[in-house]
Amino acid sequence: MIRVAIADDHQLVRAGFRALLESEPDITVVAEASGGGELLALLRGTPVDVALVDIRMPDGDGLWATEQIAADAALADVRVVIVTTFELDEYVIRAVRAGASGFLVKDTEPTDLIRAVRVAASGDALLSPGVTRRLLTRASEGLKPPVADARLDVLTEREREVLRLVAQGLSNDEIAAELFLSPLTAKTHVSRIMQKLQARDRVQLVILAYETGQVNPGWQ
């Protein structure tokens, strides 16, 4: 059972999310908060797998709350999915850097919200359709030619290959097919890369790949 907390300052939104999520047999809503500070207090007393968090809230906004969650070792297992009416690039970038495992706009399809919860709970990440391309374009703006980067010294050549494919949006199965590996081996490579680079999810790997010049901005 995936345990979810909902943080939004509109009670009607929280009620709608709760009704949608609890219609699924593998998801239960265990906490609700109307602000960032209240959310943090609840998370420290209630086991939660995924927190759905609005951006603009009183008592600490969603981005601040995400940063606090990511910085608290006791909350390391909590995955944050930002759900907002604001699809501004700077919010996406900050949310990803803060440690969010997903970014959805509130007009997304209900099935995408449910999928985001499941994907985040599994340790992966999901962004709204359209957000990913803009995120990658924004990350690649002004990118300099590839240069040596000490952060990547811990990776093997095969792991660098896998990182480049992750940055191009390939799934584990697609990476396996591209490199003639088994899906399990591809998954293991991705997990090791995330561990070595201290990345919470694949989205942060994408950002790092662009920052270190591991992918060509023209691949899109």
Side-chain angles (χ1 to χ4, degrees):
M1 186 67 71
I2 300 172
R3 299 162 297 188
V4 177
I6 302 171
D8 194 292
D9 57 338
H10 293 94
Q11 185 174 358
L12 187 60
V13 172
R14 298 199 307 271
F17 284 173
R18 176 184 281 273
L20 173 65
L21 294 172
E22 292 199 330
S23 68
E24 299 298 310
D26 59 332
I27 300 174
T28 182
V29 176
V30 296
E32 292 185 23
S34 60
E38 182 183 3
L39 172 64
L40 288 173
L42 287 171
L43 292 180
R44 289 177 178 128
T46 305
V48 168
D49 301 304
V50 178
L52 297 179
V53 182
D54 188 21
I55 286 183
R56 294 190 176 178
M57 298 185 296
D59 184 31
D61 66 27
L63 295 175
W64 171 83
T66 301
E67 291 167 346
Q68 298 304 306
I69 292 168
D72 191 335
L75 303 178
D77 293 332
V78 178
R79 301 295 175 180
V80 175
V81 175
I82 298 291
V83 186
T84 181
T85 55
F86 304 99
E87 198 175 351
L88 301 179
D89 287 346
E90 55 265 33
Y91 286 162
V92 179
I93 295 291
R94 184 177 165 195
V96 169
R97 293 187 185 282
S101 295
F103 190 104
L104 300 175
V105 289
K106 287 182 179 176
D107 63 356
T108 191
E109 293 294 327
T111 53
D112 286 334
L113 178 64
I114 294 169
R115 180 181 171 220
V117 168
R118 291 183 175 134
V119 167
S122 72
D124 215 329
L126 181 82
L127 300 176
S128 279
V131 171
T132 302
R133 183 170 295 277
R134 293 205 340 268
L135 172 63
L136 300 184
T137 300
R138 175 71 174 272
S140 67
E141 288 177 355
L143 190 65
K144 298 178 181 179
V147 295
D149 191 295
R151 285 179 292 179
L152 302 184
D153 289 348
V154 296
L155 300 183
T156 65
E157 186 55 39
R158 173 63 86 184
E159 288 169 344
R160 291 189 186 218
E161 286 184 291
V162 172
L163 174 61
R164 285 190 283 269
L165 295 177
V166 168
Q168 293 176 27
L170 273 65
S171 67
N172 289 343
D173 287 346
E174 291 169 333
I175 291 171
E178 180 74 17
L179 299 179
F180 303 101
L181 306 172
S182 72
L184 178 59
T185 299
K187 181 179 180 180
T188 299
H189 278 311
V190 173
S191 296
R192 285 177 179 169
I193 293 168
M194 290 174 60
Q195 183 178 28
K196 286 183 177 182
L197 299 180
Q198 299 181 334
R200 287 173 63 94
D201 51 51
R202 297 170 84 98
V203 178
Q204 290 194 335
L205 287 183
V206 170
I207 295 295
L208 191 146
Y210 272 95
E211 289 177 340
T212 58
Q214 295 303 296
V215 288
N216 179 355
W219 72 266
Q220 301 175 65

